[in-house]
């Protein structure tokens, strides 16, 4: 293992990171985080979550929750510190400073979601996790997905969850936890589950960080990637040129005759344009061409996130849209069939339900029973 | 420092994002893995069926974050395209799961997963 941290810094990796006798040149977790620190952080987080999970009739439940929260915060801080120190050791770039609050909110809200005893609060904390991960999507320059996530997850899916929670649970009448259902108040096997979960985190992260060393290079450079989408969008280039006022009447971006791609070179900042007109026989033909160079390049010309995403979805993965349509149709049919089924409660359950209702009535209106008795 | 951070934020709609080094990718993956594990722990420990399905949504969310981070690393849009698909599956799953939960609740008047012990095969 010939790990050279100095070469891994900020820049793109050398193209020769191919396997040499089955051994990759840089195949360790070491250059991202030391494994021992990783496992320590996982263990600390595991202890934190196990302590914070709900348990009833425990005299120190509140204190345990606080200790758990402190352990989790320590694990998060330690992880940020270790990752940051290792990165600055090798002189490589760190994530944007906004990453840290977003990550802290996402993980904190996720933990609160699984430890809160009231389902409604859990759902609200989940919305918080979603919003924080939207922030991370923005940092990863996936603007469209960030806003789609807010609309679809926070706006639609979670509202459905809230509706079902409110339909299917009785609101607790007091502030006391004793009023809660046993279902919500007690966790099942907290220590075992947490141990399994965090062994999984350790394994996933060490596998992923190991895998980072094996990631193939980006398939193209920044300019090529922008180029490949822009060339497919000649109309967009036309519009940008028009708006910048560099195009005279009748001129447009030159299209390649076979593929129809626009003749544009993002790297060299040159655009070929052509003048269309009728020839002697009345057929449309190219009368003249010329090349626009760097200083005439419109400042606002570029493929944005939405262009690239839409192009990728429709051009490279058309089958995905069909599949998604079938899945959604099936879900709609299934949900309708399941939800409209009429249920007859068994006799004893019915009696229990009636008793419960009677007790609730008695609690809220002490006179109701007397009035019922007289009638 | 804040100003520099703001400037380095590549929100620019027109500029194509530049290459992202490993050391920036790794923290995102760490957050994603942690979120996935928290979802898994929640699914295993909580007894309320609605919370259990909420935890599966958290796991979807974690995988979405990893997909977008890897997609950003490769400078492609495939990651985002797959997140759209994951979103579709999550929506379908939510619709089915909630219909099922409502059905089960009407049978037993309880949201506890252990009310359906006889289904344990």
């Amino acid at each position: 293992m010939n790990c050279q941290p100095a070469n891994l810094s900020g820049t793109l990796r050398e193209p020769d990171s191919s396997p040499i006798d089955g051994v990759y040149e840089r195949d360790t977790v070491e250059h991202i985080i030391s494994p021992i620190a990783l496992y320590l952080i996982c263990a600390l987080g595991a202890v934190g979550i196990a302590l914070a999970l709900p348990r009833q009739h425990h005299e120190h439940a509140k204190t345990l929750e606080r200790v758990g929260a402190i352990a989790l915060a320590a694990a998060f801080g330690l992880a940020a510190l270790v990752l940051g120190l290792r990165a600055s050791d090798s002189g490589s770039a760190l994530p944007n400073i906004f990453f840290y609050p977003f990550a802290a909110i996402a993980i904190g809200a996720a933990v609160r979601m699984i430890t809160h005893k009231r389902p409604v609060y859990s759902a609200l904390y989940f919305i918080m996790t979603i919003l924080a991960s939207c922030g991370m999507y923005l940092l990863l320059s996936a603007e469209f997905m960030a806003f789609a996530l807010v609309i679809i997850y926070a706006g639609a899916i979670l509202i459905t969850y809230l509706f079902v929670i409110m339909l299917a649970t009785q609101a607790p009448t007091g502030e006391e936890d004793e009023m809660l259902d046993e279902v919500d108040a007690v966790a099942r096997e907290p220590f075992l589950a947490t141990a399994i979960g965090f062994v999984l985190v350790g394994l996933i992260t060490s596998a992923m960080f190991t895998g980072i060393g094996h990631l193939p290079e980006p398939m193209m450079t920044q300019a090529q990637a922008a180029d490949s989408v822009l060339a497919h969008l000649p109309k967009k280039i036309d519009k940008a040129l028009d708006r910048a006022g560099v195009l005279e009447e009748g001129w447009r971006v030159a299209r390649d005759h076979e593929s129809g791609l626009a003749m544009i070179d993002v790297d060299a900042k040159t655009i070929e344009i052509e003048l269309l007109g009728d020839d002697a026989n009345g057929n449309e033909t190219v009368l003249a061409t010329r090349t626009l160079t760097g200083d005439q390049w419109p400042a606002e010309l570029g493929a944005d996130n939405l262009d690239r995403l839409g192009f990728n979805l429709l051009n490279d993965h058309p089958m995905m849209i069909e599949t998604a349509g079938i899945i959604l149709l099936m879900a709609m049919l299934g949900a309708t069939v399941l939800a409209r089924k009429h249920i007859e409660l068994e006799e004893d359950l019915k009696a229990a339900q009636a008793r419960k209702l009677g007790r609730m009535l008695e609690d809220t209106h002490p006179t109701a029973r007397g009035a019922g008795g007289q009638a | 420092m804040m100003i520099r951070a703001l400037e380095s934020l590549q929100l620019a709609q027109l500029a194509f994002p530049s290459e992202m080094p490993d050391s920036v990718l790794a923290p995102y993956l760490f957050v994603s893995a942690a979120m996935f594990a928290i979802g898994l722990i929640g699914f295993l420990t909580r007894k309320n069926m609605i919370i259990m399905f909420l935890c599966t949504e958290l796991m979807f969310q974690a995988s979405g974050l990893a997909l977008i981070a890897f997609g950003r690393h490769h400078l492609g849009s495939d990651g985002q395209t797959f997140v759209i698909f994951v979103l579709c599956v999550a929506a379908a799953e939510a619709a089915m799961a909630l219909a099922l939960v409502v059905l089960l609740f009407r049978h037993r008047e309880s949201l506890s997963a252990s009310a359906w012990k006889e289904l344990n095969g």
Side-chain angles (χ1 to χ4, degrees):
Chain A
M1 272 176 279
N2 189 7
C3 186
Q4 296 168 303
N7 291 346
L8 315 169
S9 55
T11 57
L12 267 183
R13 105 176 30 94
E14 298 293 312
D16 58 5
S17 61
S18 49
I20 302 159
D21 303 332
V23 180
Y24 288 85
E25 209 176 324
R26 22 194 298 281
D27 56 349
T28 53
V29 199
E30 283 283 345
H31 70 280
I32 303 227
I33 193 169
S34 78
I36 296 182
L38 176 67
Y39 300 140
L40 269 180
I41 289 165
C42 288
L44 198 56
V47 171
I49 289 195
L51 290 178
L53 276 171
R55 49 171 67 71
Q56 209 174 22
H57 307 308
H58 196 291
E59 32 196 327
H60 304 301
K62 279 267 181 267
T63 327
L64 281 181
E65 255 176 46
R66 276 186 207 127
V67 172
I70 291 169
L72 270 167
F76 182 83
L78 211 61
L81 194 71
V82 171
L83 283 171
L85 282 181
R86 185 52 64 100
S88 63
D89 265 359
S90 56
S92 40
L94 282 173
N96 190 290
I97 188 141
F98 289 110
F99 166 77
Y100 297 102
F102 283 140
I105 294 172
I107 293 184
V111 170
R112 201 70 190 99
M113 172 191 138
I114 64 163
T115 55
H116 208 289
K117 290 179 181 174
R118 300 247 165 94
V120 178
Y121 284 77
S122 287
L124 292 178
Y125 276 114
F126 184 54
I127 295 183
M128 208 161 156
T129 312
I130 299 283
L131 294 181
S133 36
C134 285
M136 284 189 267
Y137 283 15
L138 282 181
L139 297 179
L140 291 167
S141 27
E143 295 96 10
F144 174 73
M145 282 322 299
F147 294 114
L149 207 67
V150 173
I151 294 167
I152 298 175
Y153 250 108
I157 298 184
L158 259 293
I159 296 302
T160 324
Y161 267 98
L162 281 179
F163 261 110
V164 173
I165 290 171
M166 288 169 179
L167 278 176
T169 45
Q170 277 95 30
T173 43
E175 277 302 303
E176 289 303 310
D177 286 345
E178 281 78 51
M179 299 302 291
L180 282 170
D181 265 344
E182 183 263 351
V183 186
D184 293 324
V186 185
R188 174 175 45 201
E189 303 276 1
F191 284 98
L192 189 59
T194 316
I196 292 172
F198 273 82
V199 166
L200 191 71
V201 183
L203 292 180
I204 293 177
T205 33
S206 45
M208 280 205 289
F209 289 173
T210 310
I212 283 177
H214 303 179
L215 277 183
E217 269 190 283
M219 283 160 284
M220 34 194 165
T221 65
Q222 179 183 358
Q224 281 167 341
D227 215 13
S228 67
V229 177
L230 258 188
H232 282 95
L233 305 168
K235 283 262 157 69
K236 188 181 169 76
I237 302 172
D238 278 346
K239 261 189 217 158
L241 287 174
D242 244 359
R243 234 176 285 134
V246 273
L247 224 52
E248 292 126 47
E249 189 61 38
W251 288 81
R252 61 169 204 178
V253 160
R255 272 83 155 166
D256 190 67
H257 287 300
E258 281 149 31
S259 56
L261 298 181
M263 315 271 267
I264 184 169
D265 188 341
V266 177
D267 225 0
K269 285 203 183 293
T270 57
I271 310 172
E272 280 185 36
I273 57 172
E274 60 188 15
L275 178 64
L276 282 187
D278 295 341
D279 64 3
N281 301 329
N283 294 327
E284 195 172 62
T285 183
V286 176
L287 297 179
T289 59
R290 80 195 157 83
T291 307
L292 298 178
T293 48
D295 49 336
Q296 286 166 306
W297 180 275
E300 59 193 66
L301 180 57
D304 56 27
N305 176 250
L306 196 53
D307 285 336
R308 280 180 283 127
L309 179 55
F311 190 76
N312 185 278
L313 179 63
L314 292 173
N315 195 48
D316 298 346
H317 307 284
M319 196 57 202
M320 188 177 271
I321 303 174
E322 312 280 336
T323 319
I326 292 172
I327 291 175
L328 288 174
L329 179 71
M330 285 301 150
M332 194 177 73
L333 287 178
T336 317
V337 169
L338 279 178
R340 71 190 296 250
K341 200 169 275 176
H342 188 74
I343 309 294
E344 269 307 321
L345 281 181
E346 291 151 28
E347 278 305 313
D348 47 339
L349 256 176
K350 242 185 208 168
Q353 182 77 353
R355 276 200 301 278
K356 210 167 165 186
L357 272 176
R359 231 181 304 129
M360 273 173 66
L361 219 60
E362 206 174 313
D363 285 345
T364 48
H365 307 286
T367 53
R369 196 171 178 190
Q374 277 163 16
Chain B
M1 186 171 179
M2 252 351 221
I3 302 290
R4 233 183 50 214
L6 271 176
E7 278 168 357
S8 66
L9 195 61
Q10 287 197 336
L11 270 185
Q13 283 279 308
L14 298 172
F16 198 86
S18 54
E19 287 87 354
M20 190 167 81
D22 298 349
S23 56
V24 179
L25 175 65
Y28 286 100
L29 297 182
F30 195 66
V31 170
S32 153
M35 265 165 74
F36 188 89
I38 291 171
L40 183 74
I41 295 168
F43 189 82
L44 291 176
T45 55
R46 298 306 299 268
K47 293 178 180 171
N48 187 324
M49 284 190 285
I50 298 178
I51 305 285
M52 286 167 74
F53 284 117
L54 210 55
C55 289
T56 61
E57 301 281 338
L58 185 61
M59 290 192 264
F60 277 129
Q61 195 50 50
S63 65
L65 185 60
L67 278 173
I68 292 221
F70 277 122
R72 173 74 180 72
H73 179 85
H74 287 291
L75 290 181
S77 296
D78 289 342
Q80 295 177 46
T81 310
F82 273 84
V83 172
I84 292 183
F85 192 68
V86 169
L87 226 60
C88 282
V89 173
E93 186 253 354
M96 290 293 292
L98 291 177
L100 202 62
V101 166
V102 169
L103 184 80
L104 296 179
F105 178 74
R106 282 204 232 140
H107 267 290
R108 294 284 153 91
E109 289 295 318
S110 165
L111 282 174
S112 174
S114 44
W116 293 91
K117 265 191 186 133
E118 69 262 38
L119 290 185
N120 62 6

